[in-house]
Each structure stands twice: as C-alpha cells, then as structure tokens.
Amino acid sequence: MIDRVLAKVFGTQHERDIKKLAPRAAAINALEPSIKVLSDGELRGKTAELRARLAAALEGVAEEEVKEARSRALDDLLEEAFAVVREASVRALGMRPFDVQLIGGMVLHQGKISEMKTGEGKTLVATMPVYLNALTGRGVHVVTVNDYLARRDAEWMGKIYNFLGLTVGCIQNSLSDDERKKQYACDVTYGTNNEFGFDYLRDNMKFELESMVQRGHIYAIVDEVDSILIDEARTPLIISGPSEENTDVYYKCNRIIPRLVKGEETKDKYGNKTTTGDYLIDEKSKTAVLTEEGVAKAEKLIGVKNLYDLANIDALHGVEQALRAHTLYKKDVEYMIKDGQVLIVDEFTGRVLPGRRWSDGLHQAVEAKEGVRIERENQTLATITLQNYFRLYEKLAGMTGTADTEASEFHQIYKLDVVVVPTNMPMIRIDHQDVVYASEREKFESVTDEIVSCRERGQPVLVGTVSIEKSERLSGLLKDRKVPHVVLNAKFHEKEAEIVAQAGKSGSVTIATNMAGRGTDIVLGGNPEAFAEHRRAETKSAEEFAALLAQLRSEAAQDRETVLAAGGLHILGTERHESRRVDNQLRGRSGRQGDPGSSRFFLSLEDDLMRIFGSDRLQKVMRKLGMEEGVPIEHGMVSRAIERAQKQVEGRNFETRKHLLEYDDVMNRQRGEIYGLRLDILKGKQGKDEVLVLADVILDYTLGRNLPEDKGPDEWDTAAFDLDLKEYFGITPGSLDFSGKDRDEIREMVLAALREIYEAKEKLLGPETMRLHERFVMLQVVDQQWKDHLLAIDHLKEGIGLRGYGQRDPLVEYKKESFELFTLMKERIEDQIVQYLFRLQPVVREAEGEIVDEEARHAPVAMPSRRSANVNYSYGAAASGGQGAKVETIHRSAPKVGRNEPCPCGSGRKYKKCHGAAAAGA
Ligand code: ADP
Ligand code: MG
C-alpha cells in the first residue's frame, strides 16, 4: 500500500516523525481509486466542496476560537486535499507525487522544515500544503531565492492550481503597485524574500489603505530555507533615501591609508603587550584598528589636531572605514566593479547583490579606494530583517536539502522544527575522503588533472569554488590545457539556470561559485525540455518544435547511458566552506533520485579555513605525515580537524546572528507599534476624538507645570502657561480671561476653547475633508519622527560599540537607551500632531474659492513631505536568476505629486496650495 522506503522500521527522532505520518500517506493512497475516476470537472469541483466543508466547520465559531478551529478543520481536510492535488498533478503535469513527497508536504503543513535532498521534487511537494491552506482564501506565499525561480515555479505549479480553480500570482521585481496588488489578491503568490519584505515595508509607508499591496501574513513556505533564513539573515532589508553629507572626507581618508604600515601585537617576556606599526588586522573577526602611532600619523596626514575630538568624528569614522576597505575587502572576492559601481558579492553564493550597499560608510570607503564616484550616503527610511519579516506569518514552513546541521538555530530563532524526509530512491552517491595538499598551487593542478580524467571518461563534472577569483583562476588553468568548460558566477548569472540545467551532459565541465544555480535540477544526459525551449526560435511550427523536442529527448536518453556508465555526475569541491551545510549543498547536486554520482573535496593548507581556523597542531601533524610536492594527504584526522574548525565557525556565526537578532528585537517591537499606529490612522481609528484626548493630555501637562495644584494662584506662572497655549494650540495670549478663576475652571475654559477651535476648523473644511486632513497630518508626523528615530538608533548602535561600559552589558544599555529614545519620539509625535492640527489655520479665499493653510508656510517645525523626498528602494539580492545584472534601485527624485495636481490629502485643493506648501517650506 505504501512505498517500500516508508515501510522500513526506523529508530531516530526524524524517523519516528516520519513514521507518525506514514499512516496518513496510506490514507491518501487509499483515496486514490475514488479520486481517479472523477472527471476533470468533478475533480475541480472538489475545491468548492472542500471550501464549503471548511466554511461549515467555522460557522458560528467565536472570534477568539477561529484560529484554532480553522487549523483543526484544515487538518481534517488534509488527506482529501492531498489526494486531490496528487491527481491534479498527474493530469496537469504528468507527475504523481511519491509517498515521501506526501510526507514532505505534511511536514510543511505542520509549520516545520522539510529537509528533502536536491532533486526530490520539493517544488511539487509545496503544492499540496499550499492548496490545502489556500482553501481559506486568505493567501499563501511561496518564497523562492530568486525572481527566475518564482516565475518558473508559479508557471509550472500554476498548472496544478489552475486545474483546481485556484488563482496564482507571482511577484516580479519590475511590477507596479497595481500589478503587485493583483498578485497578492491571488490564492497563491510566489515571489522572492526580498520582494515580500520590501512590499511590507513599502506598504507601511503608504498614505492610503487601498494602495497597500499585501493583505496579511498568513502562511508562507520558504524554499531553500537555509539560504534565506540563515545565510541572508544578517542582511536587513533597507529602504533609504540620500542624506545631506559631504563625500570629500572619504577621498581624503582614502589617500592616507597607503602611507600607513601594518603592524602586530607583541608580548614581552613579562606578558606586557605592545604594538608595532600603524594598524592591526584581525581577519577572523574582520576588524582593523589603528595603533597609537597610527592615530598620530593619521592626524598629521589629514591635518587635524585630535581625531577623537567630537568635531572630528567624521574624519575618525572615515579613516577607520578606509582602513577596513583597504585591508579586509578584496576586489573580486568581497566585491567587484561594474560600470563604475562597487557591487557586493555574496560570500555564500558568489552572486552579485545589485543595489545593495554596505552600511555605515564602508561602501563609500571602498568606492574611494577604487576611484569610482561615491554615491551619497543613504538614510534609512524603513528597515526590517528577514528574520523579523518571516516571524510576521501566522504559520511558517520551509524546505531545503540541507537544514539538519542548523536545526537548533531554526528551532531557537524561528521555532521551526526540522524533519528529515527520506529520499524516494536509495542514495548511492559515493563521497570520497578529502585530499589535502601543502599549497594551493598543487591543489589546483590536481583539480585540473581530475577534471581532465573525468572528461576523458565522458563523466560530467561540477566544480564548486568559494569565489569568483578562484573560479577564474581554475578557468585559466583549464584553458591552458584546452579543456572546454563554462564558468558560472555572478557575472553570468542571467544564464545560470540555463547552463546548470545542462551540466549533466556527458563530458561537460561546469565551474560554479558555491550554491550558484540553486533550485535548478541537474539531469544526467542534459535537460532536453530546457534545451528545446532555448532553440524554439529555430522552429517554425508546433510540429517542428515537437520534432525537435523528440530528437533532443532521444539524444539525451542516449547521453544519459554514457554518463551512467562513467559514474554519474562528479562533484569536485575546491575548498571547504565555513559551513558544512554549504558543502553538503554542493555535494547534493549529485546523486539525485537514485542516480549514481561521486564527490571529492580538494584542500590545501593555504585555504582560508585551514589558515585562519585550522589549529597549529593540525599543521604540525600534516608536516609530520610528510607533505611531498604534489602528494596529497588523505587522512581521517584531517577531515575531523576540518569538521571541528567548521563547527567552530558555524557556532560563531550563529552567535553573531543571534546577537543581531537580540538587538533587532528592540527595533522590531518599536516598528510593530509604529506600524500599528499608522494602520489605525489609515483605517480612520485615529481621528478627532483621539486628537482631542491628546490635547487634553497636553493641557494637563502644562497645567501641572505652570499652575501646580499644590500652589496658590500667586505662585502660578501664567505667562508660561499662556505661551504653552500659544505654542500647542495657537491660542493668542490674553484671548481667554482667566482672572479670578480657579484651576478647574481654567481647565474647563481651555477645553471648551479647544473644542471650539477644532469645530470651527471642521466647519470650514467640512467633516470629510477634516478627516482626510487629520489623517494626512498624522501620517506626516509619524513618518518624519520614525525616520529620525531610525537614524538616531543607527547612531546609538554605532556608539554602543565604541563606548566603554565597564561591567555593563552593551545590549542592556542599548535596550535602555533605545527605549528612552522611543518614548521621547512618541511624545514628539503627540505634540506635533496636536500642534499641527490646532495651529494650521485654514483660511477661505472667497475669490478663488480655495482654502489655504496660511500657517503651513511657517509651520513651527519643518514638515518635509515624504512624497517629495528622494526615496530609494535598494532591493538587496532580489535580482538574481534571469535578470540580475540590472541594478534594481528606484530613485524618486521628482515629487510624486505634481504641484498642480489635487492634493493627496483629498482636500480638493491643488497640491501646491495645500500640503505641497508645507513641503516646499520645509
Ligand atoms: P528539488 O527542489 O527538490 O531539488 P525539483 O522540485 O527541482 O527538486 O524537482 C526535481 C525534478 O524532479 C524535476 O525535474 C521534477 O519534474 C521531477 N519530479 C518531482 N517530483 C516528481 C514526481 N513525483 N514524479 C516524477 N518527476 C518528479
Ligand atoms: Mg528546488
């Protein structure tokens, strides 16, 4: 009844997890005969039926129990829904999900991570839980690593969803807001993590509810989840606009670095530390610091007396970043130059991350070092880490070939459990022992030899490298020996998927930076469908195309035999990565679905991992074991030592990410509160009543300060009170006569006046316009203050690192201070909302029939309109796959609202006469 693999008796936790799900797989199988006989129409009809049953289960359920009830109801429908999708898949795609795929789908439905090896068909696995959860109509998101895969999967799996009457959307980088909204309105939406995250941020900068594109965060399945939630976790999404700053300082600081000398820390025989040279480098932690001599020299070279003077903070910062740029960041490793721009290269994938910039002046320092134009520093307008974005979802699930090594991190940070799902066919790939050479040169020579010998046998090879630089070095060696090959790296990634798809052809040699081409299946003998698609233009009719496809298929089948005879795909690693997971990912490209295959890593003592993290002991042992020129060492001890080093680095990286998360938690709560407030404003839940309450609070505050309860009238500071009334509410001093009144009477009098002022304005504008006016003012204030707060927090973070705290924990200090900043910001928001709403004085100009906010032009505090600011969305790694070379940065340099267009606040006046005036005056 169930596949053989599942029938085996298991022992480990994962196996027990799987065993629990096996009966459900059997139940799905049992439904198959009754589903099979349905007509296409009847099968599609199942969707409506299941939806009706879901609705029935939720009928009359109390609000607070809906969530629980819904999840129970969905669970009850699981077997039937999965059986329906399985049959739809057979009919629409010709693939019948295997039992292990059903199991993988159940794990996803439970909100866990399904570890399934490469080639197990995770794309298809996702359709089952997606369909089930989409029955609620609340929108399911499927997250892919790049735009190309989002498009591919939405189209491919869309056939199943459409067959069953579900709508499918796909978010692409180039889409407009209107189009995005349509895609989000679908039952299922595919897209990259960055698109989802940025849409969330952008939605929270919108001025109308209707222009928000997302409709909630219900259930997300994250494909290649380790890449997104672990490798990318350290990079927050940031929307920024340029700030006014002077770039000269970067050029100036850049010039002095070559004149500084690298030194080191030394200990004398008493253990006293001294330093030599002008600066010290620590590659492990990527830090570079000036020594005292270095500081003195830098001061002289730049021409400042004291770098640590507050007035010279820019110069100090500039020198530090220039030093890092020169000593820790290498061209074609950490970054590359293209079209006069410094582009960051992702350390994990070797891909270029267009539009992404290092923060805190580092990017500018690298630009100065490379002599390209310095882009103006950007100020953060909105930001979120991927961790916190994904934690917004009611239910989160993930899938990948490599999660188990990071299971504890997934659990601790995301509360995601990992379940390892067995492969459909037994895995027969042979993973050979690492071989270690004394020098990198010898290593690369042997790598080349091995490639040549594979090629002679007709065995395809996929070579993994850690950087573009290494890829090119190897490519050069192969060229010398006239070995045809393709190099897959950041520079070519538009064609990545296409090339990887053919990497299984006999004799092909593909060099790829680690994890490049993730998500693309390597079929032994090549992928005839993809190849035919590529050559479609050569054909003139559907018949011709079909003939071409048939021909390519038979060629591929033949070639597959050659490759199988040669041992399948061979994976050749040229260096161990810092994380075992990434090595496993590379290995996993071979041996899919029971194919034969093999893998081997070639290492040298000069590799970064060995050099920086390998112990001295290891080096000594290696030498003792005898390292002759060209003769490698293959020894279990070496592999164990490497694994230890990797575990150590993994642990450290986890700590870094956790640390970052702890800091980000603070910001996350604050963002949640502000975005919540914003949403209330947009929904009209913050209006007149709330403003009057705020006014009341402020009145009490000024009463308490100037007319204290415990003091008599002769001790009151009525002058200061008058000023406050003017300042906050625009009440002209003396216009209210307080003489002979007691405190309570004065309070009542002012309150009455406030109500009167407000009502008068409302009468003038009409209630509808007044509501829009309130909303617009509040949003302006909130956004401006939030933006300033983000800047302050950036500085605070920077400062926390620099300040000495003695015994105190910097995180605790950071939490305390950021909380204080946040509280102050909220007070400023309240003050300003009241000030603007009470003081802005609408005047009706009879002649033109227009209302003008007279005082808006001289608003007490500048009210810069976000709409006229230069807004710039830097889409981090979003661009990859198909269209990555394009720099996806949107610059908004012109006001979005034309000066003569109607003001977006809805007043009916021209923008320049309404809020545009405030913006212009700012
Ligand atoms: P993964 O994401 O797990 O690496 P993919 O989703 O890219 O794997 O699928 C790998 C290949 O397996 C695809 O070519 C797909 O068509 C095929 N495949 C997946 N599931 C099935 C199935 N049940 N029957 C036949 N082929 C399948
Ligand atoms: Mg995949």
Side-chain angles (χ1 to χ4, degrees), residues 40 104 136 210 291 331 361 371 452 459 537 590 593 612 676 692 799 866 879:
D40 286 1
T136 64
E210 305 78 64
T291 61
K331 188 168 144 185
V452 169
Q459 183 172 29
S590 166
Q593 293 284 352
I612 305 176
L692 289 173
R866 196 183 60 76

Side-chain angles (χ1 to χ4, degrees), residues 762-775:
E762 179 153 346
K763 209 162 149 214
L764 199 63
L765 296 179
E768 218 168 291
T769 308
M770 189 65 190
R771 296 292 86 78
L772 292 168
H773 178 68
E774 282 162 357
R775 195 178 78 190

